[in-house]
Amino acid sequence: MKKKALITGILGQDGPYLAKLLLGKDYEVYGLIRRYANPNFSNTDYLGITDKINFISGDMTDEASIINIIKAIHPDEVYNLAAQSFVGVSWDQSKVTTEINALGVLYLLNAIKYFSPTTKFYQASTSEMFGNSHIEGLQTEETPFYPRSPYAIAKLYAYWIVINFKESYGMYCANGILFNHESPIRGMEFVTRKITDGVARIKLGLSKEIYLGNLDSKRDWGFAGDYVEAMWLMLQQEKPDNYIISTGETHSVRDFLDIAFKYAGIDNWEKYVKLDPRFRRPAELFSLHGKNDKAREVLAWEPKVKFNELVKMMMEADLKRLSVK
Ligand code: NAP
Ligand code: GDD
Protein backbone atom coordinates (compact mmCIF):
# COMPACT_ATOMS: atom_id res chain seq x y z
CA MET A 1 0.00 0.00 0.00
CA LYS A 2 1.19 3.52 -0.80
CA LYS A 3 2.34 5.70 2.10
CA LYS A 4 0.09 8.73 2.72
CA ALA A 5 1.56 12.16 3.44
CA LEU A 6 -0.36 15.30 4.39
CA ILE A 7 1.39 18.57 3.57
CA THR A 8 0.07 21.82 5.01
CA GLY A 9 1.24 24.94 3.15
CA ILE A 10 1.05 22.98 -0.12
CA LEU A 11 0.63 26.11 -2.28
CA GLY A 12 3.60 27.99 -0.79
CA GLN A 13 7.25 27.62 -1.78
CA ASP A 14 8.31 24.45 0.07
CA GLY A 15 5.02 22.52 -0.24
CA PRO A 16 5.29 21.93 -4.00
CA TYR A 17 8.98 20.91 -3.84
CA LEU A 18 8.23 18.47 -1.03
CA ALA A 19 5.14 17.12 -2.82
CA LYS A 20 7.21 16.52 -5.96
CA LEU A 21 9.84 14.65 -3.93
CA LEU A 22 7.22 12.47 -2.20
CA LEU A 23 5.34 11.75 -5.44
CA GLY A 24 8.66 10.57 -6.87
CA LYS A 25 8.87 8.15 -3.92
CA ASP A 26 5.38 6.87 -4.73
CA TYR A 27 3.55 8.52 -1.81
CA GLU A 28 -0.10 9.47 -1.99
CA VAL A 29 0.09 13.21 -1.33
CA TYR A 30 -2.65 15.23 0.35
CA GLY A 31 -2.40 19.01 0.47
CA LEU A 32 -4.32 21.20 2.89
CA ILE A 33 -5.59 24.41 1.31
CA ARG A 34 -7.57 27.30 2.71
CA ARG A 35 -10.84 28.36 1.15
CA TYR A 36 -10.28 31.11 -1.42
CA ALA A 37 -12.60 32.66 -3.98
CA ASN A 38 -9.69 32.34 -6.42
CA PRO A 39 -7.07 29.84 -5.25
CA ASN A 40 -3.61 30.22 -6.77
CA PHE A 41 -2.02 26.99 -8.01
CA SER A 42 0.89 28.69 -9.80
CA ASN A 43 3.59 27.05 -7.65
CA THR A 44 2.29 23.48 -8.05
CA ASP A 45 1.73 24.26 -11.75
CA TYR A 46 5.35 25.44 -12.02
CA LEU A 47 6.50 22.00 -10.83
CA GLY A 48 3.89 20.19 -12.95
CA ILE A 49 2.20 18.39 -10.04
CA THR A 50 -1.18 20.13 -9.51
CA ASP A 51 -3.25 17.24 -10.84
CA LYS A 52 -1.30 14.68 -8.78
CA ILE A 53 -2.20 16.13 -5.38
CA ASN A 54 -5.35 15.38 -3.38
CA PHE A 55 -6.34 18.84 -2.19
CA ILE A 56 -8.32 18.96 1.01
CA SER A 57 -9.97 22.06 2.44
CA GLY A 58 -9.16 23.30 5.94
CA ASP A 59 -7.52 26.08 7.90
CA MET A 60 -4.77 25.99 10.52
CA THR A 61 -6.82 28.33 12.71
CA ASP A 62 -9.92 26.09 12.62
CA GLU A 63 -9.38 23.19 15.00
CA ALA A 64 -12.42 21.18 13.87
CA SER A 65 -11.24 21.24 10.25
CA ILE A 66 -7.81 19.97 11.31
CA ILE A 67 -9.34 17.14 13.39
CA ASN A 68 -11.60 16.09 10.51
CA ILE A 69 -8.71 15.99 8.04
CA ILE A 70 -6.52 13.83 10.29
CA LYS A 71 -9.48 11.50 11.00
CA ALA A 72 -10.30 11.20 7.31
CA ILE A 73 -6.78 10.58 5.98
CA HIS A 74 -4.87 8.84 8.79
CA PRO A 75 -1.62 9.95 7.16
CA ASP A 76 1.63 8.09 7.74
CA GLU A 77 3.44 11.43 7.76
CA VAL A 78 2.37 15.04 8.30
CA TYR A 79 4.62 17.88 7.15
CA ASN A 80 3.44 21.09 8.76
CA LEU A 81 4.68 23.82 6.44
CA ALA A 82 1.70 26.19 6.75
CA ALA A 83 2.53 29.52 8.32
CA GLN A 84 2.22 33.26 8.10
CA SER A 85 5.87 33.10 7.09
CA PHE A 86 6.77 36.72 6.40
CA VAL A 87 8.72 38.11 9.36
CA GLY A 88 8.13 41.77 8.44
CA VAL A 89 4.34 41.45 8.52
CA SER A 90 4.35 39.65 11.86
CA TRP A 91 4.63 42.94 13.80
CA ASP A 92 1.49 44.30 12.09
CA GLN A 93 -0.48 41.03 12.21
CA SER A 94 0.85 39.45 15.38
CA LYS A 95 -2.42 37.80 16.46
CA VAL A 96 -3.08 35.92 13.24
CA THR A 97 0.62 35.03 13.01
CA THR A 98 0.40 33.49 16.48
CA GLU A 99 -2.86 31.69 15.72
CA ILE A 100 -1.48 30.06 12.57
CA ASN A 101 2.15 29.50 13.56
CA ALA A 102 1.69 28.50 17.21
CA LEU A 103 -1.90 27.39 17.95
CA GLY A 104 -2.30 25.73 14.56
CA VAL A 105 0.55 23.39 15.47
CA LEU A 106 -1.12 22.52 18.78
CA TYR A 107 -4.35 21.69 16.91
CA LEU A 108 -2.48 19.35 14.55
CA LEU A 109 -0.62 17.63 17.36
CA ASN A 110 -3.80 17.07 19.39
CA ALA A 111 -5.61 15.73 16.33
CA ILE A 112 -2.76 13.26 15.73
CA LYS A 113 -2.59 12.31 19.40
CA TYR A 114 -6.29 11.41 19.60
CA PHE A 115 -7.07 10.16 16.09
CA SER A 116 -3.86 8.93 14.42
CA PRO A 117 -1.17 8.41 17.08
CA THR A 118 1.28 6.54 14.85
CA THR A 119 1.48 9.44 12.37
CA LYS A 120 4.97 10.95 12.13
CA PHE A 121 5.06 14.74 12.39
CA TYR A 122 7.48 17.24 10.85
CA GLN A 123 7.44 20.86 12.06
CA ALA A 124 8.87 23.68 9.94
CA SER A 125 10.94 25.39 12.60
CA THR A 126 13.25 28.22 11.75
CA SER A 127 16.63 29.87 12.27
CA GLU A 128 14.64 33.02 13.17
CA MET A 129 14.27 31.48 16.65
CA PHE A 130 17.97 32.24 17.31
CA GLY A 131 17.62 35.99 16.81
CA ASN A 132 21.11 37.45 17.15
CA SER A 133 22.29 34.63 19.38
CA HIS A 134 25.36 32.72 18.17
CA ILE A 135 28.42 30.78 19.28
CA GLU A 136 31.54 32.21 17.61
CA GLY A 137 29.44 33.55 14.75
CA LEU A 138 27.56 30.30 14.11
CA GLN A 139 24.21 28.83 15.15
CA THR A 140 24.12 25.14 16.14
CA GLU A 141 21.42 22.92 17.70
CA GLU A 142 22.86 24.02 21.08
CA THR A 143 22.75 27.80 20.51
CA PRO A 144 20.30 29.48 22.93
CA PHE A 145 17.16 30.90 21.33
CA TYR A 146 16.36 34.63 21.54
CA PRO A 147 13.51 35.33 19.10
CA ARG A 148 13.23 38.94 17.85
CA SER A 149 9.85 39.04 16.04
CA PRO A 150 6.27 37.95 16.72
CA TYR A 151 6.85 35.40 13.92
CA ALA A 152 9.86 33.89 15.67
CA ILE A 153 8.15 33.89 19.08
CA ALA A 154 5.17 31.95 17.69
CA LYS A 155 7.57 29.52 15.97
CA LEU A 156 9.41 29.02 19.26
CA TYR A 157 6.15 28.00 20.94
CA ALA A 158 5.62 25.51 18.10
CA TYR A 159 9.16 24.16 18.46
CA TRP A 160 8.66 23.43 22.16
CA ILE A 161 5.11 22.07 21.94
CA VAL A 162 6.40 19.58 19.32
CA ILE A 163 9.12 18.45 21.73
CA ASN A 164 6.63 18.33 24.57
CA PHE A 165 4.25 16.02 22.65
CA LYS A 166 7.17 13.78 21.76
CA GLU A 167 8.31 13.57 25.39
CA SER A 168 4.84 13.42 26.98
CA TYR A 169 3.08 10.99 24.64
CA GLY A 170 5.90 9.18 22.82
CA MET A 171 4.78 10.64 19.49
CA TYR A 172 7.16 10.75 16.54
CA CYS A 173 7.75 14.50 16.19
CA ALA A 174 10.75 16.21 14.56
CA ASN A 175 11.75 19.86 14.24
CA GLY A 176 13.70 20.96 11.19
CA ILE A 177 15.44 24.22 12.09
CA LEU A 178 15.76 25.49 8.57
CA PHE A 179 17.81 28.50 7.55
CA ASN A 180 16.63 30.69 4.66
CA HIS A 181 15.97 28.78 1.47
CA GLU A 182 14.85 30.17 -1.84
CA SER A 183 13.85 29.16 -5.36
CA PRO A 184 12.18 30.48 -8.52
CA ILE A 185 8.81 30.09 -6.71
CA ARG A 186 9.86 32.02 -3.57
CA GLY A 187 7.19 34.52 -2.42
CA MET A 188 7.65 37.92 -4.08
CA GLU A 189 8.00 39.88 -0.82
CA PHE A 190 11.12 38.02 0.39
CA VAL A 191 14.33 39.88 -0.32
CA THR A 192 15.88 37.35 -2.74
CA ARG A 193 12.87 37.14 -5.02
CA LYS A 194 12.23 40.87 -4.74
CA ILE A 195 15.78 41.37 -6.03
CA THR A 196 15.70 38.82 -8.87
CA ASP A 197 12.28 40.04 -10.00
CA GLY A 198 13.43 43.68 -9.70
CA VAL A 199 16.73 43.17 -11.54
CA ALA A 200 14.98 41.24 -14.31
CA ARG A 201 12.49 44.10 -14.71
CA ILE A 202 15.30 46.66 -14.89
CA LYS A 203 17.13 44.53 -17.46
CA LEU A 204 13.98 44.27 -19.60
CA GLY A 205 13.17 48.00 -19.31
CA LEU A 206 10.02 47.33 -17.26
CA SER A 207 11.24 49.18 -14.16
CA LYS A 208 13.89 51.72 -13.15
CA GLU A 209 14.76 50.85 -9.55
CA ILE A 210 14.33 48.54 -6.56
CA TYR A 211 13.41 49.79 -3.07
CA LEU A 212 15.04 47.85 -0.22
CA GLY A 213 15.73 48.04 3.52
CA ASN A 214 18.85 46.81 5.32
CA LEU A 215 21.49 45.78 2.75
CA ASP A 216 23.98 44.65 5.41
CA SER A 217 21.86 41.78 6.77
CA LYS A 218 23.52 38.42 6.31
CA ARG A 219 21.69 35.17 5.71
CA ASP A 220 22.62 31.54 5.14
CA TRP A 221 20.72 31.07 1.86
CA GLY A 222 20.15 27.62 0.34
CA PHE A 223 17.90 26.05 -2.31
CA ALA A 224 14.39 24.89 -1.29
CA GLY A 225 14.68 21.77 -3.49
CA ASP A 226 17.64 20.59 -1.40
CA TYR A 227 15.98 21.39 1.93
CA VAL A 228 12.76 19.38 1.41
CA GLU A 229 14.92 16.27 1.08
CA ALA A 230 16.13 16.88 4.66
CA MET A 231 12.50 17.15 5.85
CA TRP A 232 11.75 13.70 4.46
CA LEU A 233 14.96 12.22 5.86
CA MET A 234 14.07 13.48 9.35
CA LEU A 235 10.93 11.32 9.32
CA GLN A 236 12.78 8.19 8.13
CA GLN A 237 15.04 7.91 11.21
CA GLU A 238 14.54 5.39 13.97
CA LYS A 239 14.07 8.13 16.55
CA PRO A 240 12.74 11.66 16.03
CA ASP A 241 15.13 14.55 16.66
CA ASN A 242 15.78 18.21 15.82
CA TYR A 243 18.21 19.22 13.07
CA ILE A 244 19.68 22.41 11.67
CA ILE A 245 19.47 22.57 7.89
CA SER A 246 21.73 25.21 6.34
CA THR A 247 24.48 25.63 3.77
CA GLY A 248 27.17 26.65 6.28
CA GLU A 249 27.86 29.84 4.29
CA THR A 250 26.61 33.33 4.99
CA HIS A 251 26.21 36.24 2.57
CA SER A 252 24.86 39.78 2.77
CA VAL A 253 21.96 41.27 0.83
CA ARG A 254 24.67 43.29 -0.97
CA ASP A 255 26.38 40.05 -2.10
CA PHE A 256 23.04 38.86 -3.51
CA LEU A 257 22.60 42.16 -5.37
CA ASP A 258 26.14 41.93 -6.75
CA ILE A 259 25.60 38.52 -8.32
CA ALA A 260 22.08 39.26 -9.57
CA PHE A 261 23.07 42.49 -11.36
CA LYS A 262 26.24 40.85 -12.70
CA TYR A 263 24.15 38.00 -14.15
CA ALA A 264 21.97 40.60 -15.90
CA GLY A 265 25.08 42.33 -17.26
CA ILE A 266 24.37 45.60 -15.41
CA ASP A 267 27.31 47.54 -13.85
CA ASN A 268 27.20 49.93 -10.89
CA TRP A 269 24.06 48.49 -9.29
CA GLU A 270 24.07 51.11 -6.52
CA LYS A 271 22.34 53.63 -8.80
CA TYR A 272 19.34 51.30 -9.25
CA VAL A 273 18.83 50.47 -5.56
CA LYS A 274 17.02 52.97 -3.32
CA LEU A 275 16.93 52.63 0.45
CA ASP A 276 13.43 52.79 1.90
CA PRO A 277 12.82 52.81 5.68
CA ARG A 278 9.48 51.00 5.14
CA PHE A 279 11.47 47.83 4.48
CA ARG A 280 13.49 47.98 7.69
CA ARG A 281 12.39 45.90 10.67
CA PRO A 282 11.69 47.16 14.23
CA ALA A 283 14.19 44.51 15.41
CA GLU A 284 16.65 42.98 12.95
CA LEU A 285 18.64 39.73 12.80
CA PHE A 286 22.08 40.80 11.65
CA SER A 287 23.64 37.49 10.69
CA LEU A 288 22.45 33.90 10.31
CA HIS A 289 25.07 31.23 9.67
CA GLY A 290 24.14 27.65 10.47
CA LYS A 291 26.38 24.72 11.36
CA ASN A 292 24.88 21.67 9.64
CA ASP A 293 27.23 18.95 10.94
CA LYS A 294 24.50 16.95 12.69
CA ALA A 295 22.36 16.71 9.54
CA ARG A 296 25.41 15.71 7.49
CA GLU A 297 26.39 13.01 9.97
CA VAL A 298 23.03 11.54 11.01
CA LEU A 299 20.86 12.15 7.94
CA ALA A 300 23.68 11.93 5.39
CA TRP A 301 22.20 15.13 3.97
CA GLU A 302 24.14 17.87 2.26
CA PRO A 303 23.17 20.98 0.32
CA LYS A 304 23.89 20.70 -3.40
CA VAL A 305 23.14 24.14 -4.86
CA LYS A 306 25.76 26.81 -4.07
CA PHE A 307 24.92 30.48 -3.43
CA ASN A 308 26.04 31.69 -6.90
CA GLU A 309 24.03 28.95 -8.62
CA LEU A 310 20.95 29.81 -6.55
CA VAL A 311 21.03 33.48 -7.56
CA LYS A 312 21.55 32.53 -11.19
CA MET A 313 18.72 29.97 -11.12
CA MET A 314 16.32 32.62 -9.77
CA MET A 315 17.53 35.31 -12.19
CA GLU A 316 17.16 32.99 -15.15
CA ALA A 317 13.61 32.03 -14.14
CA ASP A 318 12.49 35.63 -13.59
CA LEU A 319 14.02 36.83 -16.86
CA LYS A 320 12.25 34.01 -18.71
CA ARG A 321 8.91 34.64 -16.98
CA LEU A 322 8.97 38.39 -17.65
CA SER A 323 10.26 38.05 -21.22
CA VAL A 324 7.27 36.01 -22.37
CA LYS A 325 4.68 38.52 -21.06
P1 NAP B 1 5.22 30.20 2.22
O1 NAP B 1 5.65 30.20 0.80
O2 NAP B 1 4.81 31.48 2.85
O3 NAP B 1 4.01 29.15 2.35
C1 NAP B 1 3.25 29.08 3.51
C2 NAP B 1 1.95 28.37 3.19
O4 NAP B 1 1.17 28.34 4.40
C3 NAP B 1 1.09 29.04 2.13
O5 NAP B 1 0.76 28.09 1.16
C4 NAP B 1 -0.13 29.49 2.89
O6 NAP B 1 -1.34 29.35 2.20
C5 NAP B 1 -0.19 28.49 4.03
N1 NAP B 1 -1.02 29.02 5.13
C6 NAP B 1 -0.88 30.21 5.75
N2 NAP B 1 -1.85 30.36 6.67
C7 NAP B 1 -2.62 29.25 6.62
C8 NAP B 1 -3.78 28.83 7.31
N3 NAP B 1 -4.36 29.59 8.24
N4 NAP B 1 -4.30 27.63 7.00
C9 NAP B 1 -3.74 26.86 6.04
N5 NAP B 1 -2.65 27.20 5.34
C10 NAP B 1 -2.09 28.39 5.62
O7 NAP B 1 6.36 29.56 3.14
P2 NAP B 1 7.59 28.62 2.73
O8 NAP B 1 8.74 29.47 2.37
O9 NAP B 1 7.11 27.57 1.81
O10 NAP B 1 7.95 27.98 4.15
C11 NAP B 1 7.33 26.79 4.59
C12 NAP B 1 7.41 26.73 6.11
O11 NAP B 1 8.77 26.72 6.52
C13 NAP B 1 6.77 27.89 6.84
O12 NAP B 1 6.21 27.38 8.02
C14 NAP B 1 7.92 28.81 7.19
O13 NAP B 1 7.63 29.57 8.33
C15 NAP B 1 9.01 27.79 7.44
N6 NAP B 1 10.37 28.23 7.16
C16 NAP B 1 10.67 28.74 5.94
C17 NAP B 1 11.97 29.11 5.64
C18 NAP B 1 12.34 29.67 4.31
O14 NAP B 1 13.43 30.27 4.20
N7 NAP B 1 11.53 29.50 3.28
C19 NAP B 1 12.97 28.93 6.62
C20 NAP B 1 12.63 28.38 7.85
C21 NAP B 1 11.32 28.02 8.10
P3 NAP B 1 -1.88 30.42 1.13
O15 NAP B 1 -1.16 30.03 -0.12
O16 NAP B 1 -3.31 30.14 1.15
O17 NAP B 1 -1.49 31.76 1.64
N1 GDD C 1 11.70 41.11 2.71
C1 GDD C 1 12.62 42.08 2.61
N2 GDD C 1 12.37 43.15 1.79
N3 GDD C 1 13.77 41.97 3.31
C2 GDD C 1 14.69 42.95 3.15
C3 GDD C 1 14.50 44.04 2.32
C4 GDD C 1 13.27 44.16 1.61
O1 GDD C 1 13.01 45.11 0.88
N4 GDD C 1 15.61 44.82 2.37
C5 GDD C 1 16.46 44.22 3.20
N5 GDD C 1 15.92 43.08 3.69
C6 GDD C 1 16.53 42.19 4.68
C7 GDD C 1 15.63 41.90 5.89
O2 GDD C 1 15.67 43.00 6.80
C8 GDD C 1 16.29 40.64 6.43
O3 GDD C 1 17.38 40.98 7.24
C9 GDD C 1 16.81 39.95 5.15
O4 GDD C 1 16.77 40.92 4.10
C10 GDD C 1 16.00 38.72 4.74
O5 GDD C 1 14.62 39.07 4.72
P1 GDD C 1 13.52 38.07 4.13
O6 GDD C 1 13.89 37.66 2.76
O7 GDD C 1 12.20 38.73 4.32
O8 GDD C 1 13.68 36.77 5.02
P2 GDD C 1 13.80 36.58 6.61
O9 GDD C 1 15.21 36.17 6.89
O10 GDD C 1 13.25 37.71 7.35
O11 GDD C 1 12.82 35.34 6.86
C11 GDD C 1 12.85 34.18 6.01
O12 GDD C 1 13.75 33.22 6.53
C12 GDD C 1 13.39 32.69 7.83
C13 GDD C 1 14.49 31.69 8.22
O13 GDD C 1 15.61 32.38 8.72
C14 GDD C 1 11.41 33.63 5.94
O14 GDD C 1 11.36 32.61 4.99
C15 GDD C 1 10.97 33.05 7.28
O15 GDD C 1 9.70 32.41 7.13
C16 GDD C 1 12.03 32.03 7.74
O16 GDD C 1 11.67 31.49 8.99
Side-chain angles (χ1 to χ4, degrees):
M1 227 172 57
K2 282 188 173 194
K3 271 193 177 177
K4 288 188 275 188
L6 170 67
I7 302 175
T8 71
I10 187 74
L11 301 181
Q13 173 188 250
D14 291 1
Y17 279 104
L18 177 63
K20 186 158 184 154
L21 178 89
L22 298 181
L23 287 165
K25 295 182 186 297
D26 208 28
Y27 278 63
E28 206 172 307
V29 176
Y30 293 80
L32 181 147
I33 55 172
R34 300 194 259 192
R35 192 269 160 190
Y36 277 104
N38 293 302
N40 180 351
F41 294 96
S42 58
N43 288 352
T44 49
D45 286 346
Y46 183 85
L47 293 182
I49 54 168
T50 306
D51 60 355
K52 299 186 178 68
I53 295 166
N54 304 293
F55 291 104
I56 185 155
S57 173
D59 195 300
M60 292 299 292
T61 61
D62 185 324
E63 189 169 17
S65 74
I66 299 296
I67 290 172
N68 285 334
I69 289 167
I70 295 296
K71 275 172 84 172
I73 305 175
H74 279 284
D76 296 284
E77 296 169 7
V78 170
Y79 295 87
N80 181 35
L81 310 185
Q84 189 302 93
S85 75
F86 189 49
V87 174
V89 152
S90 74
W91 278 274
D92 304 322
Q93 299 181 25
S94 52
K95 181 168 181 263
V96 77
T97 300
T98 306
E99 284 171 350
I100 300 167
N101 298 8
L103 286 181
V105 184
L106 179 66
Y107 299 159
L108 262 174
L109 288 168
N110 267 325
I112 292 170
K113 176 187 164 205
Y114 289 116
F115 301 107
S116 191
T118 56
T119 296
K120 294 180 171 184
F121 184 79
Y122 171 85
Q123 168 59 17
S125 287
T126 165
S127 47
E128 269 286 313
M129 299 186 303
F130 293 117
N132 289 322
S133 184
H134 62 86
I135 298 168
E136 294 174 356
L138 285 164
Q139 288 88 25
T140 75
E141 285 85 359
E142 276 68 53
T143 303
F145 296 123
Y146 193 127
R148 301 249 298 163
S149 64
Y151 166 83
I153 292 164
K155 283 282 188 178
L156 190 58
Y157 169 86
Y159 173 88
W160 281 116
I161 200 70
V162 162
I163 291 175
N164 183 256
F165 269 60
K166 176 176 77 169
E167 293 177 352
S168 305
Y169 310 117
M171 287 166 51
Y172 192 113
C173 303
N175 278 296
I177 307 174
L178 271 56
F179 283 60
N180 299 49
H181 47 279
E182 321 293 311
S183 73
I185 56 169
R186 181 58 145 152
M188 285 288 182
E189 73 270 60
F190 298 97
V191 75
T192 55
R193 188 74 196 285
K194 191 171 166 183
I195 292 172
T196 59
D197 175 71
V199 174
R201 281 175 194 279
I202 291 168
K203 173 73 180 172
L204 298 170
L206 302 171
S207 171
K208 289 193 168 30
E209 54 229 347
I210 311 174
Y211 290 84
L212 294 172
N214 181 9
L215 305 188
D216 297 315
S217 272
K218 293 173 96 180
R219 292 290 182 272
D220 182 326
W221 278 296
F223 172 51
D226 288 345
Y227 285 34
V228 297
E229 214 175 313
M231 298 176 187
W232 176 75
L233 283 168
M234 279 180 226
L235 296 197
Q236 313 314 311
Q237 305 306 305
E238 202 179 313
K239 285 191 182 151
D241 206 346
N242 311 311
Y243 299 89
I244 279 188
I245 302 299
S246 67
T247 66
E249 280 184 26
T250 188
H251 296 275
S252 66
V253 174
R254 278 178 204 283
D255 295 338
F256 199 103
L257 283 161
D258 258 337
I259 300 175
F261 274 103
K262 213 167 269 161
Y263 181 86
I266 300 171
D267 296 328
N268 302 323
W269 60 257
E270 285 82 358
K271 66 180 179 214
Y272 299 102
V273 173
K274 309 286 175 219
L275 298 183
D276 186 331
R278 282 180 306 153
F279 300 115
R280 294 187 78 93
R281 311 244 162 111
E284 178 64 284
L285 265 60
F286 302 114
S287 177
L288 288 176
H289 189 181
K291 199 159 188 274
N292 58 22
D293 295 14
K294 182 174 172 184
R296 283 178 185 271
E297 280 159 30
V298 182
L299 304 178
W301 175 86
E302 60 176 12
K304 296 185 186 82
V305 176
K306 303 290 287 178
F307 181 65
N308 277 19
E309 293 164 1
L310 175 68
V311 183
K312 287 177 189 164
M313 180 201 302
M314 294 174 70
M315 275 304 307
E316 194 175 22
D318 274 326
L319 279 167
K320 189 170 164 198
R321 178 180 57 89
L322 292 164
S323 300
V324 293
K325 282 208 169 148

